[in-house]
Amino acid sequence: DQRQAVSDVQDVLVSTPQGTVIQAKNLMRVADSVGPSQIQRKNQQRIAYVSAEPEATLSEAVQAVNDRLPQIHGMLPKDFSIGFGAEVEQQAKAFDQLRLVLILALVLVYAVMASQYESLRDPFIIMFSVPTAAIGVVLSLKLTGTAFNMQAYIGIIMLAGIVVSNGILLVDYTNLLRRRDGMALRDAVELAGRTRLRPILMTSIATALGLVPMSLGIGEGSELQVPLARVVIGGLTTSLAITLLLVPTVYTLFEEGISFRRSKK
């Protein structure tokens, strides 16, 4: 109630070191100036927010701002800095969490296969199909001009459990032919590839085609799910094409290497 008006502040009584009491207007000069209506702090530092609603995606907006920042860095006063907050900060935290989820997903997939195969070697061979999906992910985002966001990251996590199915079919049937029929390594690999080609194509193509409507962005609000669908389709397509050659090759190399070491011993 003592600062409702300028005159109120001037009439405030101030004690001096000599013990006398005088009015504040005898110690100060009052002048009008422009200042902040409120002071905001973060981590004990004063901050000022500059916010906007970009028409582009968040990553494109951040890149556009970063491209212009060098033009004003030379004009910044001492001890001033520029940083991103709000949605950019939340996205970075979300990506860190999703990265941990992806690692856990890969570990769990490997653990489940290892328990079912009762072996560490066969699941390791099957896991070679996971990196091949990354090629399709990059190509699908690049060719369609889709920004990488949280939905795309979720699609990558889904691929960790989807793309291994083709390798499982190949390795499992190859082991069955060698164990049940006593077939030679090369013959078992070739027969397993020919026999399992049709179910692999059917499951992969059916999954990819089921996501095509979502990848086209048909309907209101569907653009949020478009990156997920395109990532899964791209990763599944390249994994299908490469796994049919890579997994049998790696399987043969591992088995021939083990047989060679045994023969030397």
Side-chain angles (χ1 to χ4, degrees):
D1 58 348
Q2 293 182 337
R3 53 183 184 180
Q4 298 299 317
V6 176
S7 59
D8 296 336
V9 179
Q10 291 177 334
D11 294 336
V12 172
L13 298 177
V14 180
S15 298
T16 65
Q18 289 77 21
T20 60
V21 177
I22 60 176
Q23 291 180 321
K25 61 183 177 182
N26 297 317
L27 303 173
M28 65 182 185
R29 179 173 56 86
V30 179
D32 293 334
S33 63
V34 178
S37 58
Q38 60 179 348
I39 297 176
Q40 296 177 315
R41 289 183 174 88
K42 184 176 182 180
N43 298 329
Q44 300 180 350
Q45 292 182 336
R46 286 192 180 190
I47 60 173
Y49 287 106
V50 179
S51 59
E53 293 292 337
E55 297 180 356
T57 61
L58 183 60
S59 58
E60 292 175 346
V62 172
Q63 184 61 41
V65 174
N66 280 324
D67 292 341
R68 298 292 297 275
L69 284 181
Q71 301 178 14
I72 64 172
H73 272 306
M75 299 182 291
L76 283 179
K78 185 180 179 181
D79 297 330
F80 271 66
S81 62
I82 299 176
F84 292 94
E87 295 181 9
V88 179
E89 191 174 358
Q90 295 174 6
Q91 186 184 67
K93 292 180 180 178
F95 277 6
D96 290 338
Q97 295 174 352
L98 290 175
R99 191 178 300 111
L100 177 61
V101 171
L102 177 60
I103 295 173
L104 290 176
L106 294 174
V107 171
L108 289 175
V109 168
Y110 182 83
V112 170
M113 290 192 297
S115 63
Q116 293 295 319
Y117 279 104
E118 296 181 353
S119 169
L120 298 177
R121 185 187 69 250
D122 289 345
F124 181 74
I125 296 172
I126 295 173
M127 293 299 288
F128 272 89
S129 59
V130 175
T132 61
I135 302 174
V137 170
V138 175
L139 289 177
S140 63
L141 295 176
K142 191 71 175 177
L143 295 177
T144 59
T146 306
F148 185 78
N149 55 16
M150 291 183 59
Q151 297 297 329
Y153 217 131
I154 295 174
I156 293 176
I157 296 174
M158 292 173 56
L159 283 172
I162 296 176
V163 297
V164 296
S165 59
N166 298 336
I168 291 174
L169 289 174
L170 289 172
V171 173
D172 183 69
Y173 194 62
T174 303
N175 289 338
L176 178 64
L177 292 175
R178 297 180 64 195
R179 184 170 56 251
R180 184 190 63 186
D181 302 334
M183 296 183 63
L185 174 61
R186 295 295 182 93
D187 296 336
V189 169
E190 293 175 2
L191 181 58
R194 290 195 300 268
T195 306
R196 292 304 187 193
L197 177 61
R198 180 178 293 180
I200 288 175
L201 290 176
M202 290 172 59
T203 55
S204 299
I205 294 174
T207 304
L209 290 178
L211 293 170
V212 168
M214 185 186 297
S215 68
L216 297 176
I218 301 175
E220 186 177 355
S222 59
E223 62 274 3
L224 296 176
Q225 311 301 330
V226 166
L228 185 149
R230 291 177 179 175
V231 161
V232 174
I233 292 175
L236 196 59
T237 302
T238 56
S239 177
L240 168 64
I242 300 176
T243 298
L244 293 174
L245 299 175
L246 179 64
V247 171
T249 303
V250 175
Y251 181 89
T252 304
L253 292 175
F254 267 75
E255 292 296 327
E256 288 181 344
I258 293 173
S259 301
F260 178 73
R261 287 196 299 270
R262 287 176 179 173
S263 64
K264 288 186 66 176
K265 290 182 180 180

